[in-house]
Amino acid sequence: MDLIPYFLFAGALFLNAGVPGPSIAALVSRVITNGWRNVIPFIAAMWIGEVIWLSMAMAGLTTLAQTFQTGFHILKWVSIAYLCWLAYKMWRKPVNETTEELPQRASCWSMFSAGMALTLGNPKIMVFYLALLPSFIDLSKAGVSEWAILASITLVTLAAIDLTWTFLAHRARALLRTPKAVRLANRIGAVAMGGAAAAIAARN
């Protein structure tokens, strides 16, 4: 088995996912606002979303994506609307002036939905898997074993990137212990989430 294509795929994925963008901005804002434990469903959803895109590409849906572009545009704009709604809620989130605790945890489902919307609606991720993956891997000859290898590479690479950003954001969160700082964190998080939606909307 030729390992070079897999190393090339891992390197390309690392560069594609590691450069700060909508996903990283949203992840950091979520950790600062809600803490690292609460953000686990958000991270898991992003990983699952990327494996979904990988699976679609390997199932030969590149042609389908090109044929039914309207469906992908609808998915994109639904995701953008959801992220904007989350940004609005974060901006309007009240702060308890009598406590130094950070905001209460959001529901696991809300966090998971946000991560899935961000990933499935991000054209950058869609283009990477549906357009660039075939340049690394011969999908016409790929089977379940190749999918398992690529899925494992994807999860390991994303874990290394996202957990590093989560750790850095958690260290920053420890400094936010006053209501004023909490409000500022909420506003920054809202802007980051809104920026993520805008960045997705701006991509073709």
Side-chain angles (χ1 to χ4, degrees):
M1 182 177 63
D2 187 4
L3 297 179
I4 294 179
Y6 295 103
F7 283 114
L8 292 175
F9 170 74
L13 177 61
F14 183 84
L15 293 175
N16 186 68
V19 175
S23 297
I24 298 299
L27 172 61
V28 170
S29 69
R30 281 290 184 171
V31 174
I32 290 177
T33 304
N34 299 302
W36 71 267
R37 291 182 180 86
N38 189 228
V39 88
I40 291 176
F42 184 80
I43 296 176
M46 291 199 301
W47 296 351
I48 293 172
E50 297 229 13
V51 172
I52 289 175
W53 280 124
L54 169 67
S55 302
M56 291 176 65
M58 295 197 67
L61 294 184
T62 301
T63 302
L64 185 63
Q66 295 171 349
T67 304
F68 297 99
Q69 293 183 9
T70 301
F72 285 91
H73 282 298
I74 292 175
L75 174 62
K76 170 184 173 179
W77 288 104
V78 168
S79 300
I80 289 170
Y82 182 69
L83 291 175
C84 290
W85 179 72
L86 291 176
Y88 172 77
K89 284 188 63 178
M90 191 177 294
W91 183 276
R92 299 284 296 175
K93 193 170 187 177
V95 177
N96 188 342
E97 300 290 347
T98 63
T99 179
E100 295 184 351
E101 294 298 324
L102 289 173
Q104 294 181 355
R105 297 176 52 170
S107 70
C108 291
W109 174 247
S110 174
M111 299 293 280
F112 185 88
S113 299
M116 191 63 70
L118 183 64
T119 305
L120 294 182
N122 191 342
K124 174 187 174 183
I125 298 175
M126 179 182 71
V127 169
F128 177 80
Y129 288 107
L130 296 182
L132 297 183
L133 180 61
S135 66
F136 300 118
I137 306 296
D138 185 357
L139 297 180
S140 65
K141 299 179 181 179
V144 176
S145 59
E146 287 77 12
W147 174 85
I149 294 173
L150 290 172
S152 299
I153 292 173
T154 298
L155 292 174
V156 170
T157 302
L158 294 176
I161 294 170
D162 292 339
L163 294 180
T164 297
W165 280 107
T166 299
F167 172 78
L168 295 175
H170 176 71
R171 299 297 296 177
R173 185 179 189 267
L175 302 176
L176 304 175
R177 292 299 177 188
T178 66
K180 190 174 183 179
V182 171
R183 182 180 294 106
L184 178 61
N186 285 343
R187 299 294 168 82
I188 292 175
V191 171
M193 192 69 71
I200 292 176
R203 293 181 182 274
N204 295 321

